[in-house]
Amino acid sequence: MKIRRIAATLLACTLLTAAGCGNKQEESSGTASTPATTAGTQQTASETEPAEPATEAVSAVHNPLTGETGYNQDAVGKRPIAVMVNNVKPSLPQYGIAAADIIYEIPVEGGITRLMAVYADYTNLPDICSVRSCRYYYPILAYGMDAIYCHWGCDQTIAKDTLERLGIDRMDGGGIANKVIFFRDPDRVGKYNTEHTGYLKGDAVPDAIDQFGFRTDTTVEDAFRFLDPEKPDGESCETVNAAFSDQYFSTFTYDASSETYLKQHSGKPHMDQKADKQLAFTNVILLQTDIHTRPDGYLMDVALKGGTGYYISLGEAQEIKWTKDAEDQPIRLFDQSGKELSVNAGKSYIGLIGTNRPITIS
């Protein structure tokens, strides 16, 4: 087993401050086609076999977050949705996350991590639970994807300053969006702490977007450059472990039959409760950067300018570089020579992990 520590000199992410909202602690707050009829030249009309029923053609357009074809034609050119999801152990299992096209995982205070689940088609969202509060680096990532950002509350300091400074389109379960798309799951109330019971009602989102008057046409194209299945130019990777802290780590094991990496959360299968399936990703992208505690001794600073990392897919791991050139720009991936990287079509996991934390590949 090889342990790689990726070290990089990174610029700190400079953030302006402004007035805002929140609490330092988390708030409780087709075109159809008809196959040709087979008729021999010697057959009469009465002998001709009936045509097969018309079948729906597979859409040639692709999902801008996964590169996969068969995407909803009505969602082409529309903005994605990014949803903050609780990942602390007492809140498990989550639900709705197996349907996400991209999942980000980043450390927050106390050694825990939090997810941001991103969905390309806001008209076909599942219910998502449990929704949690904002930390400032997540809306910056969502902003770079031109996503509508959904969260339940925010910290009182840099998160609310960032939300207001960006002016990002967002829906907050701790604000006016409460009881519009955010609710308490009655099956969880009384069984979980209140902060682990909030969910986003997926089928209510399109009407809410109309109600809030958010722009729906996107200004961003594909999340990555996509290619036909191809192994990365690197070393064998059957298992990879990203240790965000001693207590919170994500492990991915390659399943050759599905050509995906199955995710574990701190040693146990990471499950979607309602889908009853383990999270699986075609691409595992691990990006290392400077992550440290802010002067308040509680919240975290995460540098988002760029650094080094790994692109992992089809049983291989490749060392890469990454950049985020501006707050309104997406993350871009490059190989070691500086050429922009292409990734395989499929769901992606993106983990941002401190340069002082190990990534173990075997």
Side-chain angles (χ1 to χ4, degrees):
M1 180 174 290
K2 300 174 68 175
I3 298 180
R4 296 271 182 120
R5 292 179 181 266
I6 309 172
T9 303
L10 302 165
L11 296 175
C13 182
T14 304
L15 295 171
L16 303 175
T17 57
C21 66
N23 220 339
K24 176 174 181 178
Q25 301 299 325
E26 309 207 329
E27 290 78 357
S28 54
S29 57
T31 304
S33 62
T34 304
T37 301
T38 302
T41 56
Q42 302 301 314
Q43 288 180 312
T44 65
S46 62
E47 293 173 325
T48 303
E49 294 178 2
E52 294 178 6
T55 57
E56 185 173 277
V58 174
S59 173
V61 299
H62 64 269
N63 182 316
L65 301 187
T66 68
E68 296 172 310
T69 57
Y71 188 55
N72 177 11
Q73 182 75 49
D74 293 337
V76 174
K78 301 303 181 183
R79 300 174 71 185
I81 291 284
V83 184
M84 292 305 305
V85 180
N86 207 351
N87 201 47
V88 68
K89 293 173 186 177
S91 73
L92 302 178
Q94 303 111 329
Y95 59 76
I97 58 173
D101 296 309
I102 297 175
I103 288 182
Y104 288 85
E105 182 173 11
I106 313 175
V108 293
E109 59 278 356
I112 67 174
T113 64
R114 187 155 296 173
L115 308 181
M116 185 172 75
V118 190
Y119 306 78
D121 184 359
Y122 71 80
T123 69
N124 286 292
L125 291 175
D127 292 346
I128 304 163
C129 185
S130 58
V131 181
R132 208 64 169 104
S133 61
C134 168
R135 296 296 178 266
Y136 82 89
Y137 28 93
Y138 293 100
I140 294 175
L141 291 169
Y143 194 58
M145 301 177 74
D146 194 32
I148 297 170
Y149 183 63
C150 301
H151 60 106
W152 198 309
C154 62
D155 75 75
Q156 187 96 342
T157 57
I158 190 169
K160 54 116 175 176
D161 291 344
T162 302
L163 289 168
E164 295 195 348
R165 176 174 55 78
L166 293 177
I168 187 172
D169 288 337
R170 61 189 178 95
M171 292 183 276
D172 181 357
I176 62 172
N178 189 268
K179 305 306 182 188
V180 175
I181 64 168
F182 296 101
F183 304 90
R184 297 290 177 187
D185 185 338
D187 292 333
R188 291 194 171 215
V189 173
K191 300 175 184 177
Y192 289 79
N193 288 342
T194 301
E195 65 268 25
H196 306 324
T197 64
Y199 80 98
L200 177 148
K201 186 170 177 58
D203 60 13
V205 168
D207 285 344
I209 289 175
D210 287 343
Q211 178 180 333
F212 293 128
F214 295 150
R215 170 177 52 85
T216 57
D217 291 338
T218 186
T219 60
V220 175
E221 296 182 354
D222 293 351
F224 308 105
R225 291 186 176 183
F226 295 106
L227 45 68
D228 292 331
E230 182 178 301
K231 289 188 176 184
D233 183 15
E235 60 182 296
S236 175
C237 178
E238 295 299 317
T239 302
V240 58
N241 183 73
F244 296 98
S245 69
D246 293 342
Q247 294 78 33
Y248 280 74
F249 50 95
S250 289
T251 307
F252 301 84
T253 303
Y254 186 57
D255 176 50
S257 63
S258 64
E259 296 186 332
T260 62
Y261 283 86
L262 302 178
K263 186 180 186 298
Q264 292 187 320
H265 183 313
S266 306
K268 297 180 180 180
H270 197 159
M271 303 296 295
D272 183 303
Q273 182 183 30
K274 291 190 174 182
D276 192 27
K277 63 191 295 185
Q278 187 173 1
L279 299 189
F281 302 91
T282 299
N283 306 306
V284 175
I285 301 167
L286 298 174
L287 309 177
Q288 287 203 286
T289 189
D290 178 44
I291 299 177
H292 60 268
T293 305
R294 290 179 58 77
D296 62 10
Y298 175 68
L299 298 171
M300 307 301 292
D301 257 335
V302 178
L304 293 175
K305 290 293 186 181
T308 56
Y310 278 103
Y311 165 53
I312 302 162
S313 187
L314 297 177
E316 298 283 329
Q318 177 179 357
E319 293 187 42
I320 62 172
K321 301 174 183 178
W322 67 278
T323 64
K324 188 176 183 343
D325 296 333
E327 290 181 332
D328 63 352
Q329 296 297 306
I331 285 174
R332 298 174 65 198
L333 308 177
F334 302 87
D335 64 19
Q336 291 292 82
S337 72
K339 179 182 177 181
E340 188 159 6
L341 194 72
S342 295
V343 307
N344 290 318
K347 294 179 183 289
S348 294
Y349 166 94
I350 303 176
L352 273 73
I353 181 171
T355 53
N356 62 333
R357 300 301 305 177
I359 295 174
T360 306
I361 292 175
S362 61

